[in-house]
Every structure is written in structure tokens, then in C-alpha cells.
Amino acid sequence: MKTLLYKQFRLLCHPMTLIFCLFGAMVLIPNYPYSVTFFYVTLGLFFTFLNMREQKDIYYSALLPIRKRDAVKAAMVFTVFIELLSVVITALFCLLSARIQPGKDNAVGMDGNFMLLGVGFLLYAVFNLVFFTSLYRSGYKVGAAYVKANVALWPLMAVAEAVVHFPGLEWLNRVDLQANLRQIPILVVGALSFAGLSIAAYERAAALYEKVDL
């Protein structure tokens, strides 16, 4: 697995994948839909998996003395690492935003708080489940898998950005200590969903890929 991950990072990872992780800095932009930062990370992952297809990595991996599910596991571990990295970077910029822009209120949608991070985890969970289970039905239909994942992502993003403006739910859009404490369950549920659905995505994708005739 260590060697497969080395190959994943050194030979297949598209440069924009890591650059998009830095888009967590968008939380410093006033009145912006911050959930878009997570979309950009999935776009970077799309570039990487597209690069895997164009570099014939599917067929190269098939020649290696490894199981098909090991190739899926390496891709999943790489993806989860990128997603966790982006959440950590976004969290750091959320802290910076709260310090340099105290009292900032996002008129568009979610602000840089635990609600945003919890939603980010949930978006990644849904992306992993839809993208991987679609991709590894064939191993090479990257574009179709990404379109399906986006069909699932964008409605969730729209709901998350809108719900913070519902009467009585304004605390979801605050960054003060009291509001963040109330938002902790959202962060926990998002993180647990991310872990659970990512594992489910791997198991299902691996089972599907083992049936593919390369």
C-alpha cells in the first residue's frame, strides 16, 4: 500500500489537486458561498483520476502483483487524505477570518464556522460514495462518475447555504463561541458520515471493480 500511495502522489496526482486544497482561503472573501471551496477540491480530484485514465494506470496496475481492491484502496486513501487536508486548511482560515474580521456575517450563506466544516465532511462523504461506486463499475468512465457526483453535491450545497437564513436558525451562521458550541453536533455528524460513507464507498467500489474484465 505504501508503494501504491507513492505512485499515486508522485506520478498521478494532478498539481491542481493540491492547489485547490488552498482554496479554503476563500472564507476570507466577504459574502461568498463558502461551500464552493469543497467543490473545487472535488474538481482537483477529478483532474487526478482523469490523469490516471490518460496515463493508462488502470492497465499498469492490472499488471502488478496486487489485488484489484488494493488499487481501489490506494485511490480511496489518497482521496480521503486530500479531503482531510482541505478541511484542515479551511479550518485554519476560518480561525484567521474570525480573528481579522470579528463580527463578519456572510449574507450569502454559511460563515466560516463548525457548520461549514461539518457540511464539508458531508459533501465529501456523498462525493466519495457516488463517485467511487460509479467509477469502478468500469474503471475508466471518470467524466460520467464526476457528473453523477455533482448531481448529488449541488443540491446539498444549495440547501446548506440557504438553511442558515431560515428564521430561528441564524445561529448556524455565527462564529461566536456559544454558536460554535451549538454547532459541534453538526461537525461530529458530518465527520462520522464522512468516515462511514467513505468506507462503504470503498467496499462497494472494490466489489464492483473485482467483477470488471480488464
Side-chain angles (χ1 to χ4, degrees), residues 124-175:
Y124 286 149
V126 172
F127 172 82
N128 291 347
L129 183 64
V130 178
F131 181 77
F132 277 89
T133 56
S134 177
L135 173 62
Y136 283 103
R137 290 180 186 275
S138 64
Y140 64 88
K141 294 183 179 179
V142 184
Y146 188 66
V147 168
K148 291 178 182 178
N150 272 272
V151 169
L153 281 189
W154 282 95
L156 286 177
M157 291 167 58
V159 170
E161 295 288 2
V163 73
V164 298
H165 297 298
F166 285 14
L169 296 179
E170 294 85 356
W171 56 274
L172 293 173
N173 201 31
R174 300 204 325 256
V175 296

Coordinates of all heavy atoms in Angstrom, one line a residue, residues 124-175:
Y124 N -18.1 15.7 1.1 CA -17.1 14.8 0.7 C -17.6 13.3 0.8 O -17.3 12.4 0.0 CB -15.8 14.9 1.5 CG -15.0 16.2 1.2 CD1 -14.3 16.8 2.1 CD2 -15.0 16.6 -0.2 CE1 -13.5 17.9 1.8 CE2 -14.2 17.7 -0.5 CZ -13.5 18.4 0.5 OH -12.7 19.5 0.1
A125 N -18.4 13.1 1.9 CA -18.9 11.7 2.1 C -19.8 11.3 0.9 O -19.7 10.2 0.4 CB -19.7 11.7 3.4
V126 N -20.7 12.2 0.5 CA -21.6 12.0 -0.6 C -20.8 11.8 -1.9 O -21.1 10.9 -2.8 CB -22.7 13.1 -0.7 CG1 -23.5 12.9 -2.0 CG2 -23.6 13.1 0.5
F127 N -19.8 12.7 -2.1 CA -19.0 12.6 -3.3 C -18.3 11.3 -3.4 O -18.3 10.6 -4.5 CB -18.0 13.8 -3.3 CG -16.9 13.7 -4.4 CD1 -17.2 14.1 -5.7 CD2 -15.7 13.1 -4.2 CE1 -16.3 14.0 -6.7 CE2 -14.8 13.0 -5.2 CZ -15.1 13.4 -6.5
N128 N -17.7 10.8 -2.3 CA -17.0 9.6 -2.4 C -17.9 8.4 -2.7 O -17.6 7.5 -3.5 CB -16.3 9.3 -1.0 CG -15.1 10.3 -0.8 OD1 -14.7 11.0 -1.7 ND2 -14.7 10.3 0.5
L129 N -19.1 8.4 -2.1 CA -20.0 7.3 -2.3 C -20.5 7.2 -3.7 O -20.4 6.2 -4.4 CB -21.2 7.5 -1.4 CG -22.2 6.3 -1.4 CD1 -21.6 5.0 -0.9 CD2 -23.5 6.7 -0.6
V130 N -20.9 8.4 -4.3 CA -21.4 8.4 -5.7 C -20.3 8.2 -6.7 O -20.4 7.4 -7.6 CB -22.1 9.7 -5.9 CG1 -22.6 9.7 -7.4 CG2 -23.3 9.8 -5.0
F131 N -19.2 8.9 -6.5 CA -18.1 8.9 -7.5 C -17.4 7.6 -7.6 O -17.3 7.0 -8.7 CB -17.0 10.0 -7.1 CG -15.9 10.1 -8.1 CD1 -16.1 10.7 -9.3 CD2 -14.7 9.6 -7.8 CE1 -15.0 10.8 -10.2 CE2 -13.6 9.6 -8.7 CZ -13.8 10.3 -9.9
F132 N -17.0 7.0 -6.5 CA -16.3 5.7 -6.5 C -17.2 4.6 -6.9 O -16.7 3.7 -7.7 CB -15.7 5.4 -5.1 CG -14.4 6.1 -4.9 CD1 -14.3 7.4 -4.4 CD2 -13.2 5.5 -5.3 CE1 -13.1 8.1 -4.2 CE2 -12.0 6.2 -5.1 CZ -11.9 7.4 -4.6
T133 N -18.4 4.5 -6.5 CA -19.2 3.4 -6.9 C -19.6 3.5 -8.4 O -19.9 2.5 -9.0 CB -20.5 3.3 -6.0 OG1 -21.2 4.6 -6.1 CG2 -20.2 3.0 -4.6
S134 N -19.6 4.7 -8.9 CA -19.9 4.8 -10.3 C -18.6 4.6 -11.2 O -18.6 3.8 -12.1 CB -20.4 6.2 -10.6 OG -20.6 6.4 -12.0
L135 N -17.5 5.1 -10.7 CA -16.2 5.0 -11.5 C -15.8 3.5 -11.6 O -15.4 3.1 -12.7 CB -15.1 5.8 -10.8 CG -13.7 5.6 -11.3 CD1 -13.6 6.1 -12.8 CD2 -12.7 6.4 -10.5
Y136 N -15.8 2.8 -10.5 CA -15.3 1.4 -10.5 C -16.3 0.4 -11.0 O -16.0 -0.8 -10.9 CB -14.7 1.1 -9.1 CG -13.4 1.8 -8.9 CD1 -13.3 2.9 -8.1 CD2 -12.2 1.3 -9.6 CE1 -12.1 3.6 -8.0 CE2 -11.0 2.0 -9.4 CZ -10.9 3.1 -8.6 OH -9.7 3.7 -8.5
R137 N -17.4 0.8 -11.6 CA -18.2 -0.1 -12.4 C -17.5 -0.5 -13.7 O -17.7 -1.5 -14.3 CB -19.5 0.5 -12.7 CG -20.4 0.6 -11.5 CD -21.8 1.2 -11.8 NE -22.6 1.4 -10.6 CZ -23.3 0.5 -10.0 NH1 -23.4 -0.7 -10.5 NH2 -24.0 0.8 -8.9
S138 N -16.6 0.5 -14.1 CA -15.8 0.2 -15.4 C -14.3 0.4 -15.1 O -13.5 -0.2 -15.7 CB -16.3 1.1 -16.5 OG -16.1 2.5 -16.1
G139 N -14.0 1.4 -14.3 CA -12.6 1.8 -14.0 C -12.1 2.9 -14.9 O -11.0 3.5 -14.6
Y140 N -12.9 3.4 -15.9 CA -12.4 4.4 -16.7 C -13.4 5.5 -17.1 O -13.0 6.6 -17.6 CB -11.8 3.8 -18.0 CG -12.9 3.1 -18.9 CD1 -13.6 3.8 -19.8 CD2 -13.1 1.8 -18.7 CE1 -14.6 3.2 -20.6 CE2 -14.1 1.1 -19.5 CZ -14.8 1.9 -20.4 OH -15.8 1.2 -21.2
K141 N -14.6 5.4 -16.7 CA -15.6 6.4 -17.1 C -15.6 7.5 -16.0 O -16.5 7.7 -15.2 CB -17.0 5.8 -17.2 CG -17.1 4.8 -18.4 CD -18.5 4.3 -18.5 CE -18.6 3.3 -19.7 NZ -20.0 2.8 -19.9
V142 N -14.5 8.3 -16.0 CA -14.3 9.3 -15.0 C -15.3 10.4 -15.1 O -15.9 10.9 -14.1 CB -12.9 9.8 -15.0 CG1 -12.6 10.8 -13.9 CG2 -11.9 8.7 -15.0
G143 N -15.5 10.9 -16.3 CA -16.4 12.0 -16.5 C -17.8 11.7 -16.1 O -18.5 12.6 -15.4
A144 N -18.3 10.6 -16.5 CA -19.7 10.2 -16.1 C -19.8 10.1 -14.6 O -20.8 10.5 -14.0 CB -20.1 8.9 -16.7
A145 N -18.8 9.5 -13.9 CA -18.9 9.4 -12.5 C -18.9 10.8 -11.8 O -19.6 11.0 -10.8 CB -17.7 8.6 -12.0
Y146 N -18.1 11.7 -12.4 CA -18.0 13.0 -11.8 C -19.3 13.8 -11.9 O -19.7 14.6 -11.1 CB -16.8 13.8 -12.4 CG -16.6 15.1 -11.7 CD1 -16.1 15.1 -10.3 CD2 -16.7 16.3 -12.3 CE1 -15.9 16.3 -9.7 CE2 -16.5 17.5 -11.7 CZ -16.1 17.5 -10.4 OH -15.8 18.7 -9.7
V147 N -19.9 13.7 -13.1 CA -21.2 14.3 -13.3 C -22.2 13.8 -12.3 O -23.0 14.6 -11.7 CB -21.7 14.1 -14.8 CG1 -23.1 14.5 -14.9 CG2 -20.8 14.9 -15.7
K148 N -22.3 12.5 -12.1 CA -23.3 11.9 -11.2 C -23.0 12.5 -9.8 O -23.9 12.8 -9.0 CB -23.1 10.4 -11.2 CG -23.6 9.8 -12.5 CD -23.5 8.3 -12.4 CE -23.9 7.6 -13.7 NZ -23.7 6.1 -13.7
A149 N -21.7 12.6 -9.4 CA -21.4 13.1 -8.1 C -21.8 14.5 -7.9 O -22.3 14.9 -6.8 CB -19.9 13.0 -7.8
N150 N -21.7 15.3 -9.0 CA -22.1 16.7 -8.9 C -23.6 16.9 -8.8 O -24.1 17.8 -8.2 CB -21.5 17.5 -10.1 CG -20.2 18.0 -9.8 OD1 -20.0 19.1 -9.3 ND2 -19.2 17.3 -10.2
V151 N -24.3 16.0 -9.5 CA -25.8 16.0 -9.4 C -26.2 15.8 -7.9 O -27.2 16.4 -7.5 CB -26.4 14.9 -10.3 CG1 -27.9 14.7 -10.0 CG2 -26.2 15.2 -11.8
A152 N -25.5 15.0 -7.2 CA -25.8 14.8 -5.8 C -25.3 16.0 -4.9 O -25.9 16.3 -3.9 CB -25.2 13.5 -5.3
L153 N -24.1 16.6 -5.3 CA -23.5 17.6 -4.4 C -24.2 18.9 -4.5 O -24.5 19.5 -3.4 CB -22.1 17.8 -4.9 CG -21.0 16.8 -4.4 CD1 -19.6 17.3 -4.8 CD2 -21.1 16.6 -2.9
W154 N -24.5 19.4 -5.6 CA -25.0 20.8 -5.7 C -26.3 21.1 -5.0 O -26.5 22.1 -4.4 CB -25.1 21.2 -7.2 CG -23.7 21.6 -7.8 CD1 -22.9 20.7 -8.4 CD2 -23.0 22.8 -7.6 NE1 -21.7 21.4 -8.7 CE2 -21.8 22.6 -8.2 CE3 -23.3 24.0 -7.0 CZ2 -20.8 23.7 -8.3 CZ3 -22.4 25.0 -7.0 CH2 -21.2 24.8 -7.7
P155 N -27.3 20.2 -5.0 CA -28.5 20.4 -4.2 C -28.2 20.5 -2.7 O -28.7 21.3 -2.0 CB -29.4 19.2 -4.5 CG -29.0 18.8 -5.9 CD -27.5 19.0 -5.9
L156 N -27.2 19.6 -2.2 CA -26.8 19.7 -0.8 C -26.2 21.0 -0.5 O -26.4 21.6 0.6 CB -25.9 18.5 -0.5 CG -26.5 17.1 -0.4 CD1 -25.4 16.1 -0.2 CD2 -27.5 17.1 0.7
M157 N -25.3 21.5 -1.4 CA -24.7 22.8 -1.2 C -25.7 23.9 -1.1 O -25.6 24.8 -0.3 CB -23.7 23.0 -2.3 CG -22.5 22.1 -2.3 SD -21.5 22.1 -3.8 CE -21.0 23.8 -3.9
A158 N -26.7 23.9 -2.0 CA -27.7 24.9 -2.1 C -28.5 24.9 -0.8 O -28.8 26.0 -0.2 CB -28.6 24.7 -3.3
V159 N -28.9 23.7 -0.3 CA -29.7 23.6 0.9 C -28.9 24.1 2.1 O -29.3 24.9 3.0 CB -30.1 22.2 1.2 CG1 -30.7 22.0 2.6 CG2 -31.2 21.8 0.1
A160 N -27.6 23.7 2.2 CA -26.7 24.1 3.3 C -26.5 25.7 3.4 O -26.5 26.3 4.4 CB -25.4 23.4 3.2
E161 N -26.4 26.3 2.2 CA -26.2 27.7 2.1 C -27.4 28.5 2.5 O -27.4 29.6 3.1 CB -25.7 28.1 0.7 CG -24.3 27.6 0.3 CD -23.2 28.3 1.0 OE1 -23.4 29.1 1.9 OE2 -22.0 27.9 0.7
A162 N -28.6 27.9 2.2 CA -29.9 28.6 2.4 C -30.4 28.4 3.8 O -31.0 29.3 4.4 CB -30.9 28.1 1.4
V163 N -30.2 27.2 4.4 CA -30.8 26.9 5.7 C -30.4 27.8 6.8 O -31.1 28.1 7.8 CB -30.5 25.4 6.1 CG1 -29.0 25.3 6.5 CG2 -31.5 25.0 7.2
V164 N -29.2 28.4 6.7 CA -28.7 29.3 7.8 C -29.5 30.6 7.8 O -29.4 31.4 8.8 CB -27.2 29.6 7.6 CG1 -26.4 28.3 7.7 CG2 -26.9 30.3 6.3
H165 N -30.3 30.9 6.8 CA -31.1 32.1 6.8 C -32.5 31.9 7.2 O -33.3 32.8 7.2 CB -31.0 32.7 5.4 CG -29.6 33.2 5.0 ND1 -28.9 34.1 5.7 CD2 -28.8 32.8 4.0 CE1 -27.8 34.3 5.1 NE2 -27.7 33.5 4.1
F166 N -32.9 30.6 7.5 CA -34.2 30.3 8.0 C -34.5 30.9 9.4 O -33.5 31.0 10.2 CB -34.5 28.8 8.1 CG -34.6 28.1 6.7 CD1 -34.3 28.8 5.5 CD2 -35.1 26.9 6.6 CE1 -34.5 28.2 4.3 CE2 -35.3 26.2 5.4 CZ -35.0 26.9 4.2
P167 N -35.7 31.4 9.6 CA -36.0 32.0 11.0 C -35.7 31.0 12.1 O -36.1 29.8 12.0 CB -37.5 32.3 10.9 CG -37.7 32.5 9.4 CD -36.8 31.5 8.7
G168 N -35.0 31.4 13.1 CA -34.7 30.6 14.2 C -33.4 29.8 14.0 O -32.9 29.2 15.0
L169 N -32.8 29.8 12.8 CA -31.6 29.1 12.6 C -30.4 30.0 12.3 O -29.3 29.6 11.8 CB -31.7 28.1 11.4 CG -32.8 27.0 11.6 CD1 -32.9 26.1 10.3 CD2 -32.4 26.1 12.8
E170 N -30.5 31.3 12.6 CA -29.5 32.2 12.4 C -28.2 31.9 13.1 O -27.1 32.3 12.7 CB -29.9 33.6 12.8 CG -31.1 34.2 11.9 CD -32.4 33.8 12.4 OE1 -32.5 33.0 13.4 OE2 -33.4 34.2 11.9
W171 N -28.3 31.1 14.2 CA -27.1 30.7 15.0 C -26.1 29.8 14.2 O -25.0 29.7 14.5 CB -27.5 30.1 16.3 CG -28.3 28.8 16.1 CD1 -29.7 28.8 16.0 CD2 -27.9 27.5 16.0 NE1 -30.1 27.5 15.9 CE2 -29.0 26.7 15.9 CE3 -26.6 26.9 16.1 CZ2 -29.0 25.3 15.7 CZ3 -26.6 25.5 16.0 CH2 -27.7 24.7 15.8
L172 N -26.7 29.2 13.1 CA -25.8 28.4 12.3 C -24.9 29.2 11.5 O -23.9 28.7 10.9 CB -26.7 27.6 11.3 CG -27.6 26.5 11.9 CD1 -28.5 25.9 10.9 CD2 -26.7 25.4 12.6
N173 N -25.1 30.5 11.4 CA -24.3 31.4 10.6 C -23.4 32.3 11.4 O -22.9 33.3 10.9 CB -25.2 32.3 9.7 CG -24.4 32.8 8.5 OD1 -23.5 32.2 8.0 ND2 -24.8 34.0 8.0
R174 N -23.3 32.0 12.7 CA -22.5 32.9 13.6 C -21.2 32.2 13.9 O -21.1 31.0 13.8 CB -23.2 33.2 14.9 CG -24.6 33.9 14.7 CD -25.0 34.7 15.9 NE -24.7 34.1 17.2 CZ -25.5 33.4 18.0 NH1 -26.8 33.3 17.6 NH2 -25.1 32.9 19.1
V175 N -20.2 32.9 14.3 CA -18.9 32.4 14.6 C -18.5 32.6 16.1 O -17.3 32.3 16.4 CB -17.8 33.0 13.7 CG1 -18.1 32.7 12.2 CG2 -17.8 34.5 13.8

